[in-house]
Amino acid sequence: MQMMFKIPQIDNEATIEKVESILENYRIALFMEPLDAQPKITSSFSIVPPTFNNQHHSTTEDLAVKRIDQERERKKFLNWVQKCVNRLSDQQRAIVVKRYMEHEDVYDYETYNDLGLSERTYYRIKPKALIRLALIMRIEIYKEEFEEAI
């Protein structure tokens, strides 16, 4: 009796949406400056006496630590996306970088015109590049198949 190995099917639409979402977050992270994490510049008084036990209770210090942690996470995210994109083939990488990773929003027709590709070639390569990127990032989404027992 032969053993049969069934490879799960990737849900292309959902996977592409997820990759595009991450690439949009990448573009946002390039511009992100946390404005809401500003320290208070007015003093506040408390009836509770201060304690001196090496714990930081200053809101300015807390916000500074929070901003540093956020910046570290943002840079880590940006580096992760860049490393994953760099593993694509030259043509796939050019499409992803031009379409999703530049500072300005670029439409598909601008991308394939700038890269010197035909529309048909562009739309054949782009989904393959996004699926491959999802596999590299390990964020692919699989179809759920429910098979009834016979």
Side-chain angles (χ1 to χ4, degrees):
M1 196 172 201
Q2 290 182 343
M3 291 185 68
M4 191 168 161
F5 180 70
K6 188 169 186 175
I7 299 174
Q9 293 292 316
I10 294 177
D11 185 346
N12 290 341
E13 290 180 21
T15 300
I16 288 172
E17 283 180 28
K18 191 168 185 178
V19 171
E20 287 179 332
S21 172
I22 287 176
L23 292 172
E24 183 61 30
N25 288 339
Y26 173 88
R27 186 175 291 170
I28 291 169
L30 287 175
F31 296 110
M32 193 170 63
E33 271 302 315
L35 296 176
D36 56 270
Q38 298 293 327
K40 292 184 201 173
I41 56 172
T42 59
S43 60
S44 58
F45 298 98
S46 174
I47 299 175
V48 179
T51 58
F52 302 102
N53 58 5
N54 276 346
Q55 292 184 355
H56 301 289
H57 292 287
S58 166
T59 57
T60 304
E61 291 170 341
D62 290 342
L63 284 174
V65 169
K66 183 179 177 183
R67 288 181 115 182
I68 290 169
D69 289 343
Q70 286 176 341
E71 184 64 18
R72 185 179 300 127
E73 286 298 314
R74 187 179 73 84
K75 285 182 180 180
K76 183 179 173 183
F77 171 73
L78 292 172
N79 286 334
W80 173 68
V81 173
Q82 290 167 357
K83 285 180 182 178
C84 291
V85 169
N86 284 336
R87 292 183 59 196
L88 295 172
S89 70
D90 292 339
Q91 203 170 37
Q92 291 174 340
R93 182 174 48 247
I95 288 172
V96 170
V97 168
K98 183 74 179 162
R99 174 67 175 88
Y100 297 102
M101 298 177 73
E102 291 192 351
H103 292 286
E104 296 179 13
D105 282 338
V106 179
Y107 295 104
D108 284 325
Y109 70 90
E110 294 173 316
T111 303
Y112 64 74
N113 283 332
D114 288 347
L115 295 175
L117 299 172
S118 69
E119 183 177 2
R120 182 176 176 169
T121 302
Y122 174 80
Y123 284 113
R124 184 176 45 82
I125 296 171
K126 180 184 166 191
K128 289 179 183 178
L130 295 176
I131 295 293
R132 184 167 179 203
L133 185 57
L135 292 168
I136 291 168
M137 292 177 161
R138 298 181 187 265
I139 58 165
E140 67 274 10
I141 299 172
Y142 293 100
K143 292 181 182 178
E144 293 183 25
E145 294 183 21
F146 298 101
E147 295 183 28
E148 297 180 19
I150 297 179

